[in-house]
Amino acid sequence: MLSDVTTPQDLDDRFRETLAALPAAQHRRDPADPVTDDAPLTGAQLLDLFDAQVTSRQLDLAGRWLRSFGEGFYTIGSAGHEGNAAVAAALRPTDPALLHYRSGAFYCVRASQVATDPADTGEPVPATEPEAPADPEAPEPSDAEPTAGRFAAYADAARDVLRGMVASSQEPIAGGRHKVFGRADLAIVPTTSTIASHLPRAVGMGLAVERLRRLDSAGRRTGAGAQVGGAENAPWPPDAIVVCSFGDASVNHASATAAFNTAGWYDHAGLRIPVLFVCEDNGLGISVRSPQGWVEATLRSKPGIRFFSADGDDPVGAYAAAAEAAAWVRRHRRPAVLHLRTVRLMGHAGADAESAYRSPAELAEDLDRDPVAATARVLVEAGVATGEELLARYDETGWQVRRLAEDVLGEPKLASAAEVVSSLAPRRPARVARSVADAAARASGPGAGARAEAFGGKPPELTGPLTLAQSINAALADGMIDHPQMAVFGEDVAAKGGVYGVTKGLRDRFGAARVFDTLLDETSVLGLGLGAGLAGMLPVPEIQYLAYLHNAEDQLRGEAATMQFFSRGAFRNPMVVRVAGLAYQEGFGGHFHNDNSVAVLRDVPGLVIAVPARPDDAAPMLRTCLASAAVDGSVCVFLEPIALYHTRDLYADGDGEWLAGYPEPGSWVAGHVPIGRARVYPVGSADDLTIITFGNGVRMSLRAAAVLAEEGVGTRVVDLRWLAPLPVADIIREASATGRVLVVDETRRSGGVGEGVIAALVDAGYVGAARRVAGVDSFVPLGPAARQVLVSEEAITEGARTLLAR
């Protein structure tokens, strides 16, 4: 018995031995006939699956070869999981797929399907039919035809994968940023390596696909229907289903649990989600075993999700089960899971020494279940090909893959920071401004009637001065009117209108299809937004409190913010996430409702973070975020200071100076607020001191500046408005104008916004005086004790006086 069977050489040798030992069938079978009397696959189709599996296997071997001399940077392979080729063959090439990182064979099949442009008959699409089996006496392929014959269908897929392995900037989806399975023309959405993080997005895609399908079938794609539709933006056919694959260890992850629960919850509620989950179960999470029977028991127990199962080393059975599962999801528009039992060959990745946690007997047993050898065995037993012929195909594919590997070695890599971040978060401010101008023109022109109807004949500009909450509500309504693909959803946002009434009345105006309540799970709320954005919608999910976002922050960091980065803009998830947050709520305390931690957001590359402090900033900033999401695919967080929602006064009770009128559409262009631009409030001469702040700090700083003005001190209060990207140019200009800067940061001293402001000043060579007033490094306690750790007006005033005394 072999003591170590994890090396590429061992795997190759064992495969060759297996094929050499296969006895030839008594009779040859016509490749056009089923491999058995009742099999759903013909011999030609199974040969094609074999070629896809072999291509994937040879890519794994090439990856280890590249790594052996330092030119390969990714060695998580698909060996043992090649049974997923049957799953791809059972689907349509227009079914969007979010794939597990062991999906090489799936990717090869999907690429071959698209390359041959199969007719959409409404039935499962098997792998494309190849030429007849090769003549064993045929000459070896010539150098003049490096991708000729059978391999031509898989050459593009192989080149894609190899380019990812060597981090080539010519790799078609991530451009050398990561090795992922993805391509827009294959309807394969790239996923990160974060375990199970793509499952909530898949549920969101399914919900959006079905929603748009229903709108399309109702004939509401034009005219008045466009105000509630968005089907015209859908990138996939109306009857598409979403496929999402993952490993067995992922079923234990909170993100997976959230996705399964959400799919089942919506199914129980009568909303259809056409998602096929595919669990590729090799029994291991790196070195940790899945308890015997646990994965199947877990998947079978998911309410609202139909269960199917198959063995990955039975290509005919796997195809039949996958075809049945896909047909069921497509017909019923309901979620299902396919439990595909697999093995893992060559370890987890790289130099993983399986012998440290698995016995030689276990490793040998897995080799006996090699899915590529299993497919070869069926082909030989059916008389479709001989072992010698299949080995010739294997060797020819290996030769072609090695040639491609040598070709991609010389391709350029990303060579500068600018190249790396070019696809991260594109910013086209001129186009965003034009989009706002177009919205203004429509609202005051052709769309004036619809707008008047939506507001019940009384638009917000005629209702008098508004609070921050009222201004956001009006801007959301205007956004819903102008963006027919926009949807507002979250916990309590529909019937209740939000905990603070910010979404009050929106469901009545725009209907339950566009304004709806979700289950109470932030991961799922954001996952729905991610999927909806990919499907062509403009989602505006709400996270009820900033503290609740931390339960689901990876959906923003690992999923939302990386989508354009890892797809070079081929896929986008435009989204404006409304979050009620920050502190200073009187009569309602505790750190879950008074969270002043935004560091986790500011650390996410490319994320836009807006913090409107005043009503007259809230509407134009929200319009900018919506336009940026629609134009650039931006992921925006609209952080709304809870304590300022209903504030009316600034200096004295009844002065109404924190209220503001809502601008009529004709003034939207003049009042446009670009991303990354601050607002300055001069108080007195404005020559002595610059206070830089945001959120609740704006109101406190203006009050402190009024006190200082009585002492003869002129202050300019700078409202950052945008925490990412910071308005660096405005910061430097306003700081230099006085030479004294007081940073008022209501977040924490460590990891707070103030650190970024001070760093920007230092980087710009600012030589004036600077001081910080910031929150204490503490959670916000209940009741009056909160005042001990939060910034106060008195602390601002004293900080200013100390700075002026230097």
Side-chain angles (χ1 to χ4, degrees), residues 479-771:
M480 297 284 280
I481 295 166
D482 190 61
H483 298 279
Q485 71 275 31
M486 177 175 160
V488 174
F489 53 90
E491 303 165 12
D492 300 304
V493 303
K496 183 179 176 66
V499 173
Y500 298 94
V502 180
T503 57
K504 185 177 181 180
L506 293 181
R507 188 184 70 167
D508 294 340
R509 293 178 189 172
F510 301 102
R514 298 187 67 196
V515 182
F516 56 91
D517 289 324
T518 65
L519 72 175
L520 273 64
D521 174 57
E522 287 73 27
T523 294
S524 297
V525 171
L526 294 179
L528 293 175
L530 292 169
L534 274 175
M537 297 172 62
L538 180 56
V540 183
E542 178 188 288
I543 300 298
Q544 200 165 87
Y545 289 101
L546 177 58
Y548 298 172
L549 175 68
H550 305 306
N551 300 328
E553 60 197 31
D554 186 59
Q555 291 295 298
L556 288 181
R557 184 199 65 82
E559 290 293 312
T562 62
M563 180 51 68
Q564 295 202 81
F565 183 71
F566 286 140
S567 72
R568 297 197 294 181
F571 292 100
R572 317 185 318 165
N573 35 228
M575 186 162 61
V576 179
V577 185
R578 293 183 46 253
V579 183
L582 302 177
Y584 298 98
Q585 286 193 85
E586 294 185 6
F588 193 23
H591 74 282
F592 277 106
H593 303 99
N594 282 282
D595 187 9
N596 61 344
S597 175
V598 300
V600 69
L601 293 172
R602 294 191 64 246
D603 185 54
V604 179
L607 196 70
V608 173
I609 308 174
V611 183
R614 292 181 62 99
D616 49 348
D617 276 335
M621 289 174 70
L622 183 55
R623 273 192 290 274
T624 296
C625 287
L626 292 172
S628 182
V631 169
D632 292 330
S634 300
V635 180
C636 304
V637 173
F638 202 72
L639 181 57
E640 302 164 6
I642 298 173
L644 298 178
Y645 268 151
H646 305 300
T647 298
R648 307 176 68 86
D649 307 320
L650 175 54
Y651 298 115
D653 291 346
D655 67 16
E657 291 196 33
W658 205 256
L659 301 172
Y662 190 85
E664 53 87 24
S667 63
W668 289 359
V669 174
H672 173 59
V673 178
I675 291 174
R677 291 306 308 271
R679 179 175 180 176
V680 182
Y681 298 87
V683 180
S685 67
D687 293 334
D688 302 311
L689 174 68
T690 299
I691 298 179
I692 299 176
T693 189
F694 64 95
N696 293 286
V698 177
R699 183 171 182 271
M700 291 189 292
S701 295
L702 287 172
R703 290 169 61 91
V707 172
L708 293 170
E710 295 176 356
E711 301 172 8
V713 177
T715 305
R716 52 186 67 203
V717 176
V718 180
D719 179 4
L720 293 170
R721 299 196 291 195
W722 307 92
L723 303 188
L726 280 173
V728 174
D730 296 332
I731 290 171
I732 303 306
R733 185 189 62 250
E734 298 303 322
S736 300
T738 65
R740 296 185 184 90
V741 174
L742 181 67
V743 180
V744 176
D745 180 4
E746 65 174 292
T747 61
R748 300 166 190 169
R749 178 164 290 274
S750 298
V753 177
E755 289 183 341
V757 174
I758 297 294
L761 291 170
V762 172
D763 288 345
Y766 172 74
V767 294
R771 185 178 176 85

Side-chain angles (χ1 to χ4, degrees), residues 583-584 596 700 745-749 773-795:
Y584 298 98
N596 61 344
M700 291 189 292
D745 180 4
E746 65 174 292
T747 61
R748 300 166 190 169
R749 178 164 290 274
V773 177
V776 174
D777 289 344
S778 169
F779 298 107
V780 180
L782 187 66
R787 300 174 192 151
Q788 306 304 315
V789 298
L790 296 174
V791 172
S792 66
E793 294 173 26
E794 293 77 13

Side-chain angles (χ1 to χ4, degrees), residues 427-454:
R427 298 272 185 266
R428 292 173 287 188
R431 288 190 59 183
V432 170
R434 186 162 62 249
S435 177
V436 172
D438 291 343
R442 286 189 293 268
S444 58
R451 185 170 184 266
E453 181 181 354

Side-chain angles (χ1 to χ4, degrees), residues 298-325:
T298 298
L299 296 176
R300 280 186 179 276
S301 68
K302 300 300 182 187
I305 301 177
R306 181 74 174 268
F307 179 84
F308 298 85
S309 66
D311 287 321
D313 58 347
D314 174 10
V316 176
Y319 175 83
E324 181 185 5

Side-chain angles (χ1 to χ4, degrees), residues 1-12 14 344-347 354-355 358-368:
M1 182 178 293
L2 294 173
S3 61
D4 184 358
V5 293
T6 62
T7 69
Q9 187 64 52
D10 289 327
L11 187 59
D12 181 71
R14 179 63 177 267
R344 190 186 72 189
L345 305 176
M346 294 199 296
E354 287 190 289
S355 57
R358 303 187 74 194
S359 69
E362 288 178 293
L363 298 174
E365 185 178 323
D366 276 0
L367 268 181
D368 290 339

Side-chain angles (χ1 to χ4, degrees), residues 229-322:
E232 67 276 10
N233 297 290
W236 305 296
D239 62 347
I241 67 173
V242 179
V243 61
C244 175
S245 60
F246 51 95
D248 54 289
S250 295
V251 302
N252 306 303
H253 198 282
S255 295
T257 300
F260 295 139
N261 185 68
T262 301
W265 189 87
Y266 276 115
D267 186 78
H268 188 79
L271 295 176
R272 299 308 182 214
I273 297 184
V275 176
L276 175 61
F277 297 105
V278 180
C279 178
E280 299 183 17
D281 180 5
N282 63 33
L284 290 163
I286 306 183
S287 67
V288 179
R289 301 171 190 268
S290 294
Q292 185 69 32
W294 168 253
V295 174
E296 180 172 346
T298 298
L299 296 176
R300 280 186 179 276
S301 68
K302 300 300 182 187
I305 301 177
R306 181 74 174 268
F307 179 84
F308 298 85
S309 66
D311 287 321
D313 58 347
D314 174 10
V316 176
Y319 175 83

